[in-house]
């Protein structure tokens, strides 16, 4: 079992859900997050005096405790998907080994 972590801008939500399904990963969780990049649009520059204004990009964080044999197919699907994008915000994926679980 591995911990699979995926981040994507909100516009890619339906596509990421399809990638999970194609890879056979049926159980996962998702959460809305704000994504930031350092550089011209630094976090400091995007902070606002007005709490109603958001500075980050609306993004999503997905995670799944996935069987090891489903990790490589998921990575391949995301790589193929990212190759079709014309954006600087590709879907990001990391995998973390699980030492112990209950």
């Amino acid at each position: 079992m591995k911990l699979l972590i995926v981040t994507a801008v909100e516009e890619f939500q339906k596509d990421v859900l399809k990638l999970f399904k194609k890879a056979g990963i049926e159980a996962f969780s998702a959460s809305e997050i704000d994504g930031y990049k350092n550089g011209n649009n630094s976090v400091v520059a995007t902070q606002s005096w007005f709490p109603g204004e958001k500075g980050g990009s609306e993004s999503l964080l997905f995670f799944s405790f996935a069987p090891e044999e489903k990790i490589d197919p998921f990575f391949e699907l995301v790589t193929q998907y990212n190759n079709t994008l014309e954006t600087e915000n590709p879907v990001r994926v990391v995998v973390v080994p699980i030492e112990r679980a209950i």
Side-chain angles (χ1 to χ4, degrees):
M1 181 177 296
K2 304 278 185 176
L3 173 58
L4 184 67
I5 302 169
V6 181
T7 60
V9 293
E10 190 173 51
E11 291 81 18
F12 299 158
Q13 179 178 6
K14 288 181 182 178
D15 295 334
V16 171
L17 296 176
K18 289 177 187 176
L19 295 173
F20 273 113
K21 187 170 184 167
K22 282 184 182 179
I25 299 172
E26 300 293 331
F28 55 87
S29 298
S31 180
E32 293 179 1
I33 59 172
D34 289 333
Y36 296 91
K37 280 189 177 183
N38 288 325
N40 293 340
N41 298 325
S42 71
V43 173
V44 175
T46 59
Q47 288 180 345
S48 171
W49 286 97
F50 305 101
E53 294 181 22
K54 284 189 162 185
S57 300
E58 292 180 4
S59 301
L60 297 167
L61 171 76
F62 299 89
F63 66 93
S64 175
F65 295 99
E68 192 167 348
E69 64 272 8
K70 298 193 180 206
I71 299 296
D72 285 340
F74 187 78
F75 267 78
E76 290 172 21
L77 289 167
V78 171
T79 299
Q80 291 170 7
Y81 177 78
N82 283 342
N83 287 338
T84 68
L85 298 177
E86 294 181 14
T87 178
E88 292 186 23
N89 294 312
V91 174
R92 305 279 186 192
V93 183
V94 297
V95 65
V96 182
I98 304 293
E99 289 187 31
R100 293 177 68 178
I102 295 179

